[in-house]
């Protein structure tokens, strides 16, 4: 078992504690990084021989646990998290691996997959643009504070899955409870 790292972003709520019994002291609790070796939030082994140790340290000392493609630094290429959006998240975009590697100190980019665990009535995601658009149109909409008119709003329901590829403008609305599997990256452009 792993003890997750928690994030207390302002948009978070209480559902991770109430619905999943997450025993973390932060309020609000926006995200739990359930399985992570990322330096911004590393999971801790919660039981057994390695109880209390960082997952990344255990994997560094025991690379055989990850098979023949083990990372010598104890890093795994994915990060699994739970997200409780009590309020709307920012609209954001993530780079791909090539761009991140060149411009973000060799970091991974960020591809995400969302599984909707629950969604309040009216919950939605921002998932790209409504139609093809170009840089000038986006810049004009940003300047005039009308970017929302270009974005695709998608109503969500429990048990739906969404792949969010790098370069896709996206956001999560209030009332969404998600499980996310992503590349192990914390790069977000808002």
């Amino acid at each position: 078992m792993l003890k997750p790292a928690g994030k207390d972003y302002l948009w978070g709520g209480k559902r991770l504690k109430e619905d999943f019994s997450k025993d973390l002291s932060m309020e609000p609790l926006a995200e739990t990084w359930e399985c992570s070796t990322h330096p911004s939030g590393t999971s801790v082994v919660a039981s057994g021989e390695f109880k209390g140790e960082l997952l990344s340290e255990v994997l560094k000392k025991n690379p055989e646990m990850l098979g023949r493609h083990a990372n010598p630094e104890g890093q795994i290429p994915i990060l699994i998290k739970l997200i409780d959006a009590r309020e709307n998240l920012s609209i954001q975009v993530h780079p791909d691996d090539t761009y991140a590697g060149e411009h973000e100190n060799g970091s991974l980019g960020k591809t995400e997959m969302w599984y909707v665990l629950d969604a309040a009535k009216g919950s939605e995601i921002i998932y790209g643009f409504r139609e093809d658009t170009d840089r000038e149109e986006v810049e004009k909409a940003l300047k005039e504070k009308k970017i929302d008119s270009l974005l695709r709003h998608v109503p969500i329901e429990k048990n739906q899955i969404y792949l969010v590829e790098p370069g896709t403008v996206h956001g999560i609305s209030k009332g969404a409870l998600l499980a996310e599997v992503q590349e192990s990256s914390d790069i977000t452009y808002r």
Side-chain angles (χ1 to χ4, degrees), residues 34-35 77-83 110-115 161-164 178-185:
E34 298 293 316
C35 181
I78 63 168
L79 191 160
I80 300 170
K81 58 172 85 165
L82 298 177
I83 299 171
K110 192 172 178 184
T111 300
E112 304 175 337
M113 187 280 308
W114 297 335
Y115 176 76
I161 297 174
Y162 296 90
L163 175 65
V164 183
L178 307 175
E180 177 177 295
V181 179
Q182 64 167 75
E183 283 183 274
S184 186
S185 173

Side-chain angles (χ1 to χ4, degrees), residues 73-106:
E73 298 302 314
Q75 300 297 307
I76 54 177
I78 63 168
L79 191 160
I80 300 170
K81 58 172 85 165
L82 298 177
I83 299 171
D84 173 17
R86 180 180 49 85
E87 298 295 333
N88 295 336
L89 278 70
S90 63
I91 297 169
Q92 49 193 250
V93 66
H94 307 296
D96 63 17
D97 290 342
T98 302
Y99 185 91
E102 292 172 7
H103 301 280
E104 298 288 350
N105 300 317

Side-chain angles (χ1 to χ4, degrees), residues 63-71:
E64 71 279 0
M65 290 180 169
L66 290 175
R68 50 190 182 133
H69 299 291
N71 178 300

Side-chain angles (χ1 to χ4, degrees), residues 38-50:
H38 194 280
S40 295
T42 303
S43 302
V44 175
V45 178
S47 61
E49 176 183 354
F50 303 105

Side-chain angles (χ1 to χ4, degrees), residues 9 66 81 121 133 144 163 183 186:
Y9 306 131
L66 290 175
K81 58 172 85 165
K121 185 176 180 160
T133 187
E144 295 174 358
L163 175 65
E183 283 183 274
D186 199 23

